[in-house]
Amino acid sequence: MPILKLEEYAIILLIIALLTIFLTRRIAVPYTLGLVIIGFILSMSGLLPDVRLIPDLVLLVFLPALLFEGAWSLRWDLVRSQWRVIFFLAGPGLLLSLVIAASVLHLLDGLDWGTAFLLAAILSPTDPVAVLSLFRQLHVDERLAVIIEGESLFNDGVAGSLYQTFLAVVLLSVHGGGSAGVAIWGRGLLLFALQAGGAIALGLASGWLISQTVRHIDEPLVETTMTLVTAYGVYLLADLLQLSAIVAVIVAALVVGNYGRSIGMSERTRMAVDNFWSVLAFLANALIFLLIGAQLNPLSLPSRSGGELASLLIALFAIGVVLLARLILVLFLGPYSLLASPIQRRERKERRQPSFPRSWQLIIFWSGLRGALSLALVLALPAEVPQRSILLISCYAVVFFTLLMQGMSLRWLLIRLPKMHQPDATSLPSAH
């Protein structure tokens, strides 16, 4: 695409995004959801420029910036206070929901195990932008916001690594004559361990090196540029080394955002870096959610020989599977949850006090929105992946339902549920 045409499209999209944001602020709707709706309407009417949410645009342009900004702004002390819940949701809980979703897809939808796990991994990453925007508008307790944001951030890393693992399993099965034996799954698991472990090591080393470097510099512009180079440099280096680029950027940003900023950045530099990444993330989110709305145009869905009814049934089934897996996951956060420490569980049992408010369970369940990363992953699937059209239809349906249906109803839910704004101080398990 010519540079001039690219600039024209970018300006048009930004103007549409700004007008949408002004409108949504007047009617108290998260701007991200407003952008999805406007993008969908303009795409259906043919008024939006012919631009698409291509995988490289998300994975190479938007994602490094969004990952770095999210990890940079996430305070480790707050994450540590809720680490049990976040670790469960993004670790064992994610694996649990993955197995549930893949099992249902395999048994009821007829997908082979490799493809079922691949689709489950694609649908695993959550997108908290609209949710956190609502939380800020309604002054929801900060601890709940930390849980939602922490889950999404670490979830992206785990889900991204699992996606690469199951895609490798599927492709090995295809090129191996369709026999996905123990050896293929063993190679897939080994690939996951190497990619995730290597990415963590790369992120830690890069974050530490940048943190030590900024100790000897007191220039906001230079240090801000170094964080930008870190975000994209670590991502590209991890991708070149065939490691999990998502995990590497998250780890590096956490180290720089917590360790580096405390030992090597002045207050003036911290404000400059915070402002830079806030603006960059805002622009990236504005463009990406507008493009998501355009991408959800039903006309862009792949055609199937079974017709529209078959596509509708596939879409409804995918939505049901995701909701079921999320519900079972959140039920483990129920009263007297094992996520509290033994002392806390004993004290709360004696006082007959739940370790996790039921209202928070419901919010965590309903706030599991899917967005750009899921779309980018499914669009990046090679053509030889079996039943690729089913994966596309399923992902489109889940993203559409979670962003528009769940996202638009979340405000109504937050306003009516108790313990949202002034929860009991002991309602969540603490690491201290």
Side-chain angles (χ1 to χ4, degrees):
M1 181 181 295
I3 297 297
L4 183 59
K5 185 63 86 174
L6 187 63
E7 289 182 355
E8 291 177 2
Y9 283 172
I11 292 172
I12 292 172
L13 292 175
L14 284 175
I15 291 174
I16 295 173
L18 289 173
L19 293 175
T20 304
I21 291 166
F22 287 136
L23 176 62
T24 53
R25 285 187 174 178
R26 288 184 173 273
I27 59 178
V29 172
Y31 76 92
T32 51
L33 299 182
L35 287 167
V36 173
I37 295 172
I38 293 298
F40 178 77
I41 293 173
L42 292 177
S43 179
M44 288 288 291
S45 61
L47 298 176
L48 199 65
D50 186 20
V51 289
R52 292 295 174 191
L53 191 69
I54 59 176
D56 285 348
L57 183 64
V58 177
L59 298 176
L60 298 179
V61 178
F62 291 129
L63 191 59
L66 294 175
L67 289 173
F68 190 92
E69 191 276 336
W72 162 270
S73 60
L74 193 63
R75 298 280 66 82
W76 189 249
D77 54 338
L78 296 177
V79 173
R80 188 174 54 189
S81 68
Q82 311 302 335
W83 74 268
R84 289 186 176 87
V85 180
I86 295 173
F87 171 75
F88 173 78
L89 289 173
L94 172 61
L95 297 178
L96 172 66
S97 62
L98 187 83
V99 170
I100 293 171
S103 300
V104 175
L105 290 167
H106 172 71
L107 296 175
L108 299 182
D109 204 22
L111 297 179
D112 64 86
W113 279 113
T115 306
F117 272 103
L118 177 59
L119 178 55
I122 289 171
L123 297 177
S124 293
T126 56
D127 196 325
V129 178
V131 177
L132 296 176
S133 177
L134 265 179
F135 282 8
R136 286 190 291 269
Q137 289 179 12
L138 300 178
H139 306 289
V140 174
D141 188 280
E142 185 180 28
R143 293 171 298 167
L144 182 55
V146 169
I147 291 173
I148 298 293
E149 187 172 13
E151 178 208 0
S152 175
L153 188 65
F154 296 112
N155 193 336
D156 286 351
V158 177
S161 298
L162 289 172
Y163 166 82
Q164 293 177 313
T165 299
F166 295 128
L167 179 58
V169 169
V170 170
L171 294 178
L172 285 171
S173 301
V174 170
H175 298 305
S179 57
V182 176
I184 291 178
W185 283 91
R187 289 173 64 182
L189 293 176
L190 178 61
L191 177 66
F192 173 77
L194 292 175
Q195 287 182 338
I200 291 173
L202 176 62
L204 288 173
S206 302
W208 181 84
L209 180 62
I210 295 298
S211 299
Q212 295 301 317
T213 303
V214 297
R215 295 182 65 177
H216 307 287
I217 303 172
D218 187 18
E219 178 55 54
L221 288 177
V222 174
E223 293 174 81
T224 301
T225 305
M226 289 179 65
T227 61
L228 182 65
V229 172
T230 301
Y232 285 92
V234 170
Y235 190 94
L236 294 175
L237 179 59
D239 189 60
L240 180 66
L241 297 175
Q242 296 186 333
L243 304 176
S244 174
I246 297 175
V247 172
V249 172
I250 290 172
V251 173
L254 282 172
V255 173
V256 177
N258 290 272
Y259 174 67
R261 73 185 290 157
S262 64
I263 68 164
M265 292 186 178
S266 63
E267 185 64 30
R268 184 172 61 122
T269 298
R270 294 174 194 169
M271 291 181 60
V273 177
D274 286 341
N275 290 335
F276 170 80
W277 282 107
S278 295
V279 172
L280 193 60
F282 174 79
L283 292 175
N285 277 314
L287 290 173
I288 205 169
F289 277 93
L290 187 60
L291 291 173
I292 286 176
Q295 191 70 44
L296 292 177
N297 185 340
L299 298 178
S300 62
L301 286 172
S303 59
R304 285 181 50 79
S305 58
E308 295 182 0
L309 179 59
S311 298
L312 178 61
L313 292 176
I314 292 171
L316 293 176
F317 184 78
I319 294 169
V321 168
V322 169
L323 291 178
L324 174 65
R326 183 75 176 178
L327 177 62
I328 295 175
L329 164 64
V330 173
L331 288 178
F332 278 83
L333 298 174
Y336 315 116
S337 169
L338 295 176
L339 298 176
S341 67
I343 296 176
Q344 290 170 327
R345 291 201 303 271
R346 184 170 61 252
E347 291 177 350
R348 286 165 182 162
K349 188 174 182 180
E350 292 173 355
R351 293 181 294 179
R352 297 183 178 180
Q353 180 187 34
S355 61
F356 205 90
R358 293 187 185 276
S359 58
W360 286 28
Q361 282 181 265
L362 182 56
I363 292 302
I364 292 176
F365 163 65
W366 202 243
S367 62
L369 311 185
R370 270 62 173 180
L373 183 54
S374 291
L375 282 177
L377 293 178
V378 78
L379 290 171
L381 289 174
E384 62 263 35
V385 170
Q387 299 176 296
R388 186 176 184 271
S389 62
I390 291 180
L391 273 60
L392 282 169
I393 292 171
S394 300
C395 185
Y396 275 47
V398 170
V399 172
F400 184 90
F401 179 85
T402 57
L403 281 180
L404 295 184
M405 304 304 176
Q406 290 181 224
M408 296 302 292
S409 60
L410 192 58
R411 168 181 286 274
W412 179 89
L413 199 60
L414 284 169
I415 292 174
R416 283 158 180 79
L417 283 177
K419 295 186 179 180
M420 285 293 101
H421 310 289
Q422 294 179 340
D424 178 52
T426 60
S427 58
L428 272 177
S430 172
H432 300 293

